[in-house]
Amino acid sequence: MTGVKGLLQEKDHVFLDFDGPVCDVFARLTASEVAERLKHLVGPDLPAEVSASADPFDVLRYAASCGPNAARVVERQFSRLEGEAVAQIHPAPGVAEVLREWHAQGFTVTIVSNNSVDAIRSFLGMHELAEHVRRISARTTSAPAHLKPHSALLDAAVKALGTSPGKCVMVGDSAADVLAARAAGVASIALATTSAKRRALAALGPDALVASLTDLRLAP
C-alpha cells in the first residue's frame, strides 16, 4: 500500500462514501429497525436468510427478486426511512474540516453511496456541507444490482466529471467500496476505525489504509 498523502496528491477527484465516513446513517433509527419495517412490505413468507437479516439492503435485494413492483414499493419506503434516519444524526467528527480542506486544495468531491440520493442531499444541506461537494452518485432506482460493489456508481461519477478513472480515488469504510473501486479502475483508500475492520479491509489490498478521516488532510 502506498502513502495516503502521496496518493491523494496524484488525483484530482475524491469519491467519498456516505454512511461511515460522512455520518453514521443508522445511529438512531437502526438498520435492523429499518429492515424489519421493510420486511412487512414483502409479506410473511420470507426466505430464512432474509427474515434473519438486519440489513435493509438484503430486503431490497429480495424485493427486487420478487419483481419490479415489489422493488419499487420497498425502495420508496427505504428512501423515506433513510431520510428519517439522517434527520436525527450529525456529521462524523472532522468531516467538515476535511471537506473544506479538499475543496480549498482544488479537489472535486463526489459522494458515491448506496444510500438514497435524496437522503444524502438532505443531510448535506442540513449541515451546510453541500457547498464542498460537487456531485452525488447514489441510489436513485429500485434496482439494487448496480449498487456497490458493482462499479456503476463510480463509472457514472467518472463520466459526469468528464475525467478518467486514473484521476480519481475512492474513500470508503467497507469491502464494497474497495471492490467497486477496483472494478472501476479507481484507486482506493480504506477507512478502518477498528483493528478488526483494518484486518478485513487490508486483506482486500486497497491502495492505502487509514484509521481516521482526518488522516486524509493534506495540511500539516
Side-chain angles (χ1 to χ4, degrees):
M1 288 183 284
T2 58
V4 63
K5 292 187 178 182
L7 177 61
L8 274 175
Q9 288 167 340
E10 295 171 355
K11 309 301 179 183
D12 296 328
H13 310 285
V14 178
F15 297 164
L16 182 63
D17 186 32
F18 182 66
D19 186 11
V22 177
C23 62
D24 183 354
V25 171
F26 299 113
R28 300 290 297 276
L29 177 58
T30 66
S32 60
E33 183 176 349
V34 172
E36 289 305 313
R37 293 196 200 181
L38 297 181
K39 289 172 192 177
H40 292 304
L41 298 177
V42 287
D45 299 322
L46 299 173
E49 64 274 14
V50 178
S51 182
S53 177
D55 185 346
F57 285 98
D58 288 341
V59 186
L60 178 60
R61 282 187 282 269
Y62 174 70
S65 75
C66 296
N69 289 336
R72 278 192 293 270
V73 168
V74 169
E75 198 285 326
R76 188 161 53 244
Q77 177 71 343
F78 188 12
S79 182
R80 188 188 72 77
L81 291 170
E82 285 172 311
E84 184 180 330
V86 301
Q88 302 179 50
I89 59 173
H90 296 283
V95 68
E97 292 79 6
V98 172
L99 289 175
R100 277 197 295 269
E101 184 186 290
W102 284 347
H103 185 76
Q105 294 275 351
F107 295 105
T108 72
V109 177
T110 298
I111 300 296
V112 179
S113 172
N114 288 349
N115 295 113
S116 75
V117 68
D118 290 340
I120 295 167
R121 188 177 289 120
S122 173
F123 182 85
L124 295 178
M126 196 181 335
H127 296 283
E128 300 182 348
L129 299 175
E131 64 185 299
H132 307 306
V133 174
R134 172 74 67 87
R135 309 190 68 87
I136 300 171
S137 183
R139 196 180 81 248
T140 58
T141 75
S142 57
H146 287 173
L147 299 179
K148 295 178 292 184
H150 195 284
S151 67
L153 293 175
L154 285 80
D155 295 336
V158 171
K159 183 177 180 180
L161 289 166
T163 189
S164 65
K167 293 293 186 180
C168 307
V169 59
M170 177 77 214
V171 179
D173 69 341
S174 72
D177 295 312
V178 176
L179 295 173
R182 183 173 301 139
V186 169
S188 62
I189 299 175
L191 172 62
T193 56
T194 67
S195 57
K197 181 167 277 192
R198 187 176 185 87
R199 287 192 297 272
L201 292 179
L204 296 174
D207 294 281
L209 188 63
V210 294
S212 166
L213 197 65
T214 56
D215 292 339
L216 300 174
R217 298 188 67 172
L218 295 177

